[in-house]
Amino acid sequence: MEKNNTQLNFKDEPEKGLKRELKTSQLSMIAMGCAIGTGLFLGSGLAIQAAGPSVLLSYALGAFIVLLLMGCLAEMTVAHPTSGSFGAIAEKYMSPMAGYLVRYSYWIGNVLAVGVEVSAVSVYMNYWFPTVPGIVWILLFAGVLIYVNATSVNTFATFEYWFSFIKISAIVGFILLGAYVLFGSSEQPHIGPENFVNEGGFFPFGLKGMWIAVFISLFSFLGTELIAVTSGEAKDPDAAVPKALKATVFRLSTFYVLTIGIMLMIVPWKTAGIEVSPFVKVMEILNIPGASGIMNFIILTAAISAMNAQLYASTRMMFSLARGKHAPTFLGKLNKSGVPTKALAVSSTGIFIAAGVHALLPGSSYAFMMGISMFGAMFTWLMIFISHLFFRVKWEKTGGRKLPVRMIGFPYLTILGAVLLFSLMITSWFTDFKIMLQFGIPWLLFLAVAYFVSKRRNINHNVMEEPLEKKIE
């Protein structure tokens, strides 16, 4: 006999009206588009400087944590495919306050990340048009992407698909070129596997450096969780979401480890910094004509694509907050194409605020901006692991239907993922990324106060609206 799990389903789905038009291939490309941004093309240099050649292990361990995360997320998303995703699940299985903290933290993280990317776009365009003020490119590209996001989810997905395709093609081309130089062409001095052990060995900064670089590597994986957010607009989420999650994690892991491995064999790790992309250095060493222009175009594409996906994510989170009565109700309205344009407008405002702050602080380091934008996503990831523990126990306890996707090794691997991620967050306090917790802890305190104030107002509002006879009773 099939058990009843009515109490476990999102009864009267609060996000009705969204169009379920996204295909599996689009889901994968959207997540990869969000993940493959300046974190790989520029941030990889920061990870290499922290760990040396052992950065390869850092990225492998980072990929392992993300694989555990995606296992937990796939199970919960198939059970509850909504745009509120991990925020709605945290609210249902942990507490309303947990859902509030997750959704607002994820929202602000994406808004800040979009601001970083859109500010970077103006720098990249300066390569070709040095006399044009940067604010022109910020307004132009922001306007185009707002229009793309406002038209329809299918327009957004098509745009993101092709921009992601360009980035992935560039990475594949880089891997093939590097492989040819290393194994198919005539021998070149100072290029080869020996670079893994030159300049201090494979662990020049010990295990500590390798561990710190794991934290940096996670920045390159941020965005994979976006598949769960798109599940509310996916065709056949039961089949599409798990398939897209697995494909995305394995593709990203392969791309990152292979790309950085080839890079380290060509470029001595001590020269791979963040002033210039390590990718550009590789092309300069190989004397590729127009190397800087080619890489500038690819990095520009990466920034636009990541910005587009992050704008989508922040819009859907604000929409979910509104439908959950944690934000003004007008932000939960949809246009005729099923797009929450009012939530988009609010999230777009954040672009200009973040870009303005970035413009006012031109001397701020890349690590500073990365740290601020990382907190929302890292906190969200931690809460996904914790939510999964609550979810599985409650699901089985109340007789839910058999889950078509299940996280292996429960609860041990879920706990392992949470412990590793929490340890990395604590580690950031002792590094140049200390700003992440300096920003994040006050942010959570602010949200907690805002939640209780909002809750009290809602209670008072409901009391005021009760009939007089009810009050007397």
Side-chain angles (χ1 to χ4, degrees):
M1 180 183 292
E2 188 173 340
K3 295 180 182 179
N4 185 351
N5 74 320
T6 305
Q7 72 274 26
L8 288 171
N9 292 325
F10 284 111
K11 193 174 181 181
D12 297 325
E13 174 61 58
E15 296 172 6
K16 285 182 178 178
L18 294 174
K19 306 291 186 181
R20 290 193 176 273
E21 298 179 346
L22 299 179
K23 303 172 185 176
T24 304
S25 58
Q26 290 176 320
L27 294 182
S28 296
M29 281 296 197
I30 289 169
M32 292 183 74
C34 192
I36 302 176
T38 53
L40 172 63
F41 291 107
L42 200 60
S44 56
L46 196 62
I48 292 170
Q49 288 302 305
S54 67
V55 73
L56 290 171
L57 297 180
S58 303
Y59 271 84
L61 183 54
F64 174 69
I65 294 172
V66 176
L67 186 61
L68 296 181
L69 182 81
M70 293 301 107
C72 298
L73 193 54
E75 180 180 312
M76 296 189 293
T77 302
V78 168
H80 300 302
T82 79
S83 287
S85 188
F86 29 79
I89 291 169
E91 178 176 346
K92 180 174 181 60
Y93 291 95
M94 292 181 65
S95 70
M97 183 177 179
Y100 182 91
L101 295 177
V102 168
R103 282 184 279 202
Y104 265 114
S105 294
Y106 190 68
W107 178 79
I108 194 64
N110 275 284
V111 166
L112 287 170
V114 171
V116 175
E117 301 285 3
V118 77
S119 298
V121 164
S122 66
V123 176
Y124 302 146
M125 291 302 295
N126 186 63
Y127 175 84
W128 292 297
F129 305 98
T131 60
V132 178
I135 191 67
V136 172
W137 302 119
I138 290 176
L139 294 175
L140 176 61
F141 283 101
V144 170
L145 294 183
I146 290 169
Y147 173 78
V148 167
N149 274 265
T151 305
S152 72
V153 69
N154 200 42
T155 301
F156 156 77
T158 301
F159 182 93
E160 190 60 31
Y161 182 94
W162 288 109
F163 266 78
S164 296
F165 182 81
I166 292 172
K167 289 190 293 185
I168 293 167
S169 298
I171 293 173
V172 171
F174 178 87
I175 291 172
L176 293 176
L177 175 65
Y180 171 74
V181 170
L182 291 168
F183 309 111
S185 64
S186 58
E187 290 189 8
Q188 297 188 44
H190 311 301
I191 290 181
E194 59 271 18
N195 279 337
F196 287 143
V197 293
N198 290 342
E199 304 290 346
F202 191 72
F203 291 94
F205 302 106
L207 292 176
K208 178 183 177 182
M210 188 273 289
W211 176 251
I212 291 173
V214 175
F215 175 82
I216 302 171
S217 77
L218 291 180
F219 184 73
S220 297
F221 288 100
L222 296 181
T224 49
E225 76 289 333
L226 185 58
I227 291 176
V229 178
T230 61
S231 66
E233 296 170 272
K235 288 182 178 179
D236 190 17
D238 283 18
V241 171
K243 186 176 180 181
L245 283 169
K246 290 177 184 176
T248 301
V249 173
F250 284 113
R251 286 173 189 167
L252 287 175
S253 303
T254 303
F255 284 158
Y256 289 164
V257 174
L258 274 177
T259 300
I260 294 174
I262 289 172
M263 187 189 301
L264 288 172
M265 283 191 278
I266 297 175
V267 179
W269 70 266
K270 283 191 174 182
T271 65
I274 59 169
E275 295 80 13
V276 178
S277 170
F279 287 78
V280 174
K281 282 190 173 291
V282 168
M283 290 194 170
E284 288 177 349
I285 288 174
L286 299 179
N287 294 316
I288 303 294
S292 297
I294 293 170
M295 284 311 305
N296 196 67
F297 172 76
I298 293 170
I299 296 173
L300 173 66
T301 302
I304 295 171
S305 174
M307 183 170 66
N308 189 44
Q310 289 155 352
L311 182 57
Y312 171 91
S314 57
T315 298
R316 292 320 184 266
M317 273 297 145
M318 182 52 67
F319 167 76
S320 178
L321 281 161
R323 288 294 178 94
K325 299 182 179 179
H326 295 307
T329 55
F330 74 89
L331 296 175
K333 293 183 179 180
L334 301 168
N335 65 9
K336 293 180 180 179
S337 300
V339 176
T341 48
K342 292 182 172 60
L344 173 62
V346 170
S347 297
S348 299
T349 303
I351 293 176
F352 303 110
I353 294 173
V357 170
H358 186 65
L360 291 172
L361 300 172
S364 297
S365 67
Y366 183 76
F368 177 84
M369 294 304 300
M370 185 190 291
I372 290 181
S373 62
M374 274 189 80
F375 178 79
M378 293 288 281
F379 175 73
T380 297
W381 282 16
L382 179 62
M383 292 297 285
I384 288 172
F385 280 121
I386 297 172
S387 296
H388 185 248
L389 294 171
F390 284 84
F391 164 82
R392 176 72 77 84
V393 171
K394 188 173 181 181
W395 186 273
E396 294 180 346
K397 187 177 181 180
T398 52
R401 65 182 172 88
K402 184 179 179 180
L403 294 165
V405 178
R406 291 172 68 87
M407 171 67 177
I408 62 172
F410 179 86
Y412 307 108
L413 290 183
T414 302
I415 294 172
L416 175 62
V419 169
L420 287 172
L421 192 61
F422 183 72
S423 299
L424 286 166
M425 293 178 73
I426 296 300
T427 298
S428 70
W429 185 262
F430 304 99
T431 70
D432 291 339
F433 296 96
K434 185 177 182 179
I435 186 64
M436 186 188 83
L437 294 179
Q438 289 177 325
F439 167 80
I441 293 172
W443 168 254
L444 289 181
L445 292 174
F446 167 76
L447 285 183
V449 172
Y451 173 78
F452 285 114
V453 170
S454 175
K455 187 176 180 181
R456 175 162 292 189
R457 282 182 178 176
N458 288 337
I459 292 172
N460 292 337
H461 180 71
N462 292 336
V463 169
M464 292 293 292
E465 288 187 343
E466 285 181 358
L468 182 59
E469 305 93 288
K470 184 73 175 176
K471 293 181 183 179
I472 293 173
E473 288 177 3

